[in-house]
Amino acid sequence: MTQTSQPRPGFHSGRGKKTLDRIPGGFYLVGALVILFEVVSLGAVGLALAIGDPSDDGASPDREARRVEVTYIATGDHPSVDLTFGNANDSHESDGVVILPYRETVEMAPGADFYLDVRSREDQKGGTLTCTVLVDGKVVQQAHNTADPSSATCAGSIADAPQPGIPMPTLTPGASPLPEERRLTGTVKVPDYPGKGSPVIGTVTDSSLEYAELGGTWDRSKTLDPVFDGFTRKQEGRQRALVKSTQVDEDIMAAAGGTGELRGVADAVMDERRRYEYPRDQAILVDVASQPLKVDGRDAWLLVSEIHFHKRGVPSTMDLNAVLVVDTGRVRPSVLWVVLPETNKKLWPDLNTLVSSVRVR
């Protein structure tokens, strides 16, 4: 019986060859090289992540660019100015009215442009004004005002080189700070100011009131045009001392509520005098007396206030103001307004003289 021989293990012929046996030998070398390249690449990436970028300081990739400190400084012999600062190419921010000296530090992007404008207020023209801009603590620009317009403007780039030889401006305040506002709500009698005061040389009759005309350092009393002056009578004394009288106008009556309540009218008159006779937004009222009176049997109210202020070219920083409102029987009451500067306190007793002299006519 004939036996059929079995094929040897691992040997196949034709279609029965192993798949690997059918791959050309050169492909093994290429595959190995590809795998080696990937391993090396992944290793390099991991090493870079471990070491980090040499230029990376640890901040977030989306961190902002370095900011530069820019300091705006305004100085001069004005107590206050109108001031505007900001980026010259984008926006200007008005700080409104500021007290001198002024200093403000902001952060800006490198290469930005700066702008600083220091301008005299409308009631304080002239004088000296200076603007100074520092970048990282060094002066890059300084400018002084011209006579007309009365302003100083600094504008340029924060990349500008520091300017050697330009002195740092003195930031010592040129004026003492103003006190806090204080308005009386109760009744406080006017003090009896000591001293001899001015002599009385006659009487003045105006707006249904009669009161003393003062001599000494006072000029003679004069009539005024109420359309232009708001008063119908005026007497001027040394160093801005004033005595004025008139009938209270309708606008002030309306500001007082229109009721004719004398205390409210006296407050409204005082507020109007501060608004029109003193530096805008820079005059502080401190009431020292507020009391009812009788003048020839008629109701009256006396309000006495210190008005504290700083005004270029004016030596006084406080005036004693008195408003006496009298119901004369007319549609609107009459008012006597007195101003006595602190630089001439010898005139302060004149307030007592004037108030005690008032009669209704």
Side-chain angles (χ1 to χ4, degrees):
M1 183 170 174
T2 304
Q3 294 182 348
T4 304
S5 61
Q6 300 293 326
R8 288 177 296 182
F11 173 81
H12 297 274
S13 63
R15 299 169 70 102
K17 282 187 177 182
K18 292 182 179 179
T19 302
L20 292 177
D21 291 339
R22 299 174 61 188
I23 299 175
F27 281 100
Y28 289 106
L29 178 60
V30 173
L33 291 174
V34 170
I35 293 173
L36 179 61
F37 176 79
E38 291 180 352
V39 171
V40 172
S41 299
L42 291 175
V45 171
L47 181 62
L49 292 175
I51 297 176
D53 186 350
S55 63
D56 191 353
D57 59 359
S60 172
D62 60 348
R63 67 187 186 279
E64 292 185 0
R66 186 180 76 89
R67 307 293 282 179
V68 179
E69 281 195 351
V70 178
T71 301
Y72 297 106
I73 299 176
T75 54
D77 63 357
H78 292 234
S80 60
V81 294
D82 290 316
L83 185 139
T84 303
F85 71 90
N87 188 320
N89 293 330
D90 292 332
S91 62
H92 300 163
E93 178 180 344
S94 174
D95 244 16
V97 177
V98 301
I99 302 296
L100 294 186
Y102 171 91
R103 181 187 179 107
E104 178 74 17
T105 298
V106 299
E107 288 189 345
M108 298 176 67
D113 292 334
F114 60 79
Y115 178 85
L116 174 62
D117 182 73
V118 186
R119 191 170 298 271
S120 296
R121 301 179 65 189
E122 60 184 21
D123 56 352
Q124 299 191 46
K125 297 295 184 182
T128 60
L129 294 173
T130 299
C131 66
T132 305
V133 177
L134 312 180
V135 175
D136 286 338
K138 297 180 180 180
V139 177
V140 297
Q141 192 172 129
Q142 187 175 88
H144 306 282
N145 68 306
T146 57
D148 189 15
S150 186
S151 66
T153 302
C154 292
S157 172
I158 63 177
D160 292 345
Q163 300 296 311
I166 297 181
M168 181 72 71
T170 301
L171 298 181
T172 303
S176 59
L178 298 175
E180 293 185 4
E181 185 103 350
R182 187 183 72 189
R183 306 305 299 267
L184 291 174
T185 56
T187 298
V188 177
K189 291 185 177 182
V190 63
D192 186 9
Y193 293 102
K196 184 177 180 180
S198 304
V200 175
I201 61 173
T203 58
V204 176
T205 301
D206 179 57
S207 301
S208 299
L209 296 180
E210 181 182 277
Y211 54 91
E213 181 176 11
L214 302 172
T217 60
W218 291 85
D219 296 333
R220 298 304 298 263
S221 180
K222 300 178 181 179
T223 58
L224 296 175
D225 184 341
V227 174
F228 295 100
D229 297 284
F231 290 85
T232 49
R233 197 83 185 183
K234 174 179 76 171
Q235 186 175 20
E236 292 183 296
R238 183 173 297 174
Q239 298 177 10
R240 299 172 53 256
L242 284 173
V243 177
K244 287 187 175 183
S245 58
T246 192
Q247 187 179 23
V248 178
D249 64 32
E250 295 177 351
D251 290 341
I252 294 180
M253 295 297 293
T259 63
E261 193 271 326
L262 295 180
R263 180 170 193 159
V265 174
D267 285 335
V269 172
M270 187 70 77
D271 288 337
E272 186 201 42
R273 292 301 93 210
R274 167 170 60 173
R275 184 165 57 251
Y276 287 105
E277 303 293 336
Y278 292 89
R280 179 166 44 92
D281 303 324
Q282 290 298 321
I284 302 300
L285 271 173
V286 178
D287 291 343
V288 296
S290 186
Q291 68 175 109
L293 293 175
K294 288 291 185 179
V295 175
D296 280 350
R298 297 279 187 174
D299 289 335
W301 197 278
L302 175 63
L303 174 63
V304 180
S305 303
E306 296 175 350
I307 297 187
H308 297 259
F309 64 97
H310 295 140
K311 187 172 183 178
R312 192 183 64 83
V314 177
S316 176
T317 59
M318 189 274 281
D319 290 344
L320 191 68
N321 277 251
V323 170
L324 177 62
V325 178
V326 182
D327 180 5
T328 62
R330 300 170 69 181
V331 175
R332 299 190 304 274
S334 296
V335 59
L336 180 71
W337 176 50
V338 182
V339 182
L340 302 169
E342 68 169 347
T343 50
N344 196 354
K345 287 189 175 182
K346 291 181 179 180
L347 297 181
W348 284 21
D350 292 349
L351 174 59
N352 302 113
T353 301
L354 288 164
V355 170
S356 63
S357 71
V358 176
R359 299 290 182 267
V360 176
R361 292 293 181 264

